[in-house]
Amino acid sequence: MATIGADRSLAQASISSHNLPLVRRLEAVGFRAWPAASVQYDGSWQVRLTAGHPSNRLNSIVPLDPSDHRDVEIRLEKASRKFEAYGRAVVVRQTPLASPVLIELLRQQNWMQFDETVVMTCDLAEAELPDTLDHLPTHDVGRFVDANLAVERAPLSLKPALAEIITAIKPPSGLFMIENATDGPLATVLCVQDNDLAGIMSLSVSETRRREGLGTEILTSAMRWARMRSARSAWLQVKLSNRPAIALYERLGFRDAYHYCYWQREPK
């Protein structure tokens, strides 16, 4: 976690330097690809809460209009109380759509910035996908959830919430897994096709089987599936600190679209 300091490159980035229509569209499909249990609006702010899952994407305030800075301090406190009612610490997600006035308020109140993430896109028509073993998606949500939790070594207590999230996804979805009889699940990825856009979600490779090409193999299968269903572009989100994953995505043709990060209050 990085504290607020001299490096304010993301927060100070000029709004005009971003393709805001693209950001808005990718944010919208991202919400549909990873739906929160509760979504409320305060002006253009989306307040997303999901009691059963800790993901910040499912539990954060997401401002969606750079010009919406009316009564930011009052609204921030009001939204914070909603998080307290859920037993969660309040988190603000900063994309290029966040008001600079709100971000300056967070700084003044000594909030901390963390988890800078890059959103990447790829032209599926132009992508040269490697000739790897192809995998077909499963329709068994329970089996996929079990595999994903096993690969990520995540607590089994997350299974009901994760199954609920995946079941709630409305656009067509492909659930991909690589597994064998000896080692069980080795890799998973979820691909959500929203019209001409395909979202790559939850790409995971077993820690003991990384650097064996499994990530390339399963990601390529998902991209081929999306392309066959007439998707024109793929998108994904990856933490900026995950350099090996970013290198893989760049090899397959993904390029930066924009960055986002989270803010939370400094612990007392």
Side-chain angles (χ1 to χ4, degrees):
M1 182 180 297
T3 57
I4 304 168
D7 184 7
R8 296 179 177 178
S9 59
L10 189 150
Q12 292 180 331
S14 170
I15 293 171
S16 62
S17 68
H18 293 95
N19 181 344
L20 293 188
L22 175 63
V23 175
R24 290 191 179 95
R25 188 165 187 223
L26 291 176
E27 286 294 296
V29 297
F31 295 150
R32 292 192 291 270
W34 205 239
S38 169
V39 178
Q40 301 177 44
Y41 280 90
D42 180 352
S44 66
W45 295 10
Q46 190 177 102
V47 181
R48 296 166 58 81
L49 284 160
T50 304
H53 201 283
S55 165
N56 286 319
R57 279 192 287 176
L58 299 174
N59 296 277
S60 53
I61 302 167
V62 189
L64 296 170
D65 183 350
S67 65
D68 183 3
H69 48 74
R70 173 185 52 84
D71 299 328
V72 289
E73 190 166 3
I74 295 172
R75 292 163 67 192
L76 183 60
E77 185 58 35
K78 179 182 176 183
S80 297
R81 289 196 292 269
K82 294 178 181 178
F83 280 76
E84 291 171 5
Y86 263 71
R88 294 199 177 280
V90 61
V91 173
V92 174
R93 184 165 174 265
Q94 180 196 350
T95 74
L97 302 178
S99 166
V101 176
L102 171 61
I103 302 308
E104 185 57 33
L105 174 64
L106 299 181
R107 285 204 198 94
Q108 291 174 1
Q109 294 185 350
N110 295 321
W111 287 50
M112 304 174 70
Q113 185 186 102
F114 67 104
D115 277 0
E116 187 168 352
T117 299
V118 57
V119 179
M120 307 179 76
T121 59
C122 172
D123 185 334
L124 288 173
E126 299 294 328
E128 295 183 6
L129 301 180
D131 186 17
T132 60
L133 182 65
D134 209 7
H135 297 270
L136 297 177
T138 178
H139 299 288
D140 189 334
V141 173
R143 183 180 169 204
F144 175 83
V145 168
D146 285 340
N148 181 257
L149 293 176
V151 170
E152 294 193 349
R153 298 184 177 181
L156 290 177
S157 59
L158 292 178
K159 180 176 179 177
L162 184 55
E164 184 176 352
I165 291 165
I166 294 175
T167 302
I169 297 171
K170 293 182 179 179
S173 302
L175 308 174
F176 293 84
M177 301 182 297
I178 297 177
E179 56 187 350
N180 63 38
T182 303
D183 303 312
L186 302 176
T188 63
V189 71
L190 164 65
C191 185
V192 181
Q193 185 193 348
D194 197 329
N195 296 311
D196 63 324
L197 294 175
I200 304 297
M201 317 287 293
S202 299
L203 175 61
S204 301
V205 178
S206 174
E207 189 174 355
T208 61
R209 299 294 298 272
R210 290 174 185 170
R211 297 180 177 83
E212 297 181 14
L214 294 175
T216 300
E217 186 175 311
I218 197 166
L219 177 56
T220 299
S221 294
M223 292 172 70
R224 285 199 188 101
W225 176 83
R227 189 159 64 182
M228 288 176 59
R229 295 177 57 86
S230 301
R232 297 171 59 188
S233 298
W235 63 270
L236 52 81
Q237 304 176 5
V238 56
K239 289 183 181 180
L240 198 61
S241 59
N242 192 350
R243 303 311 304 178
I246 291 174
L248 165 62
Y249 302 145
E250 288 178 340
R251 286 198 301 272
L252 293 178
F254 284 87
R255 298 293 179 263
D256 290 15
Y258 62 96
H259 290 202
Y260 69 81
C261 69
Y262 294 99
W263 295 78
Q264 67 181 22
R265 286 195 171 103
E266 200 170 283
K268 295 180 181 180

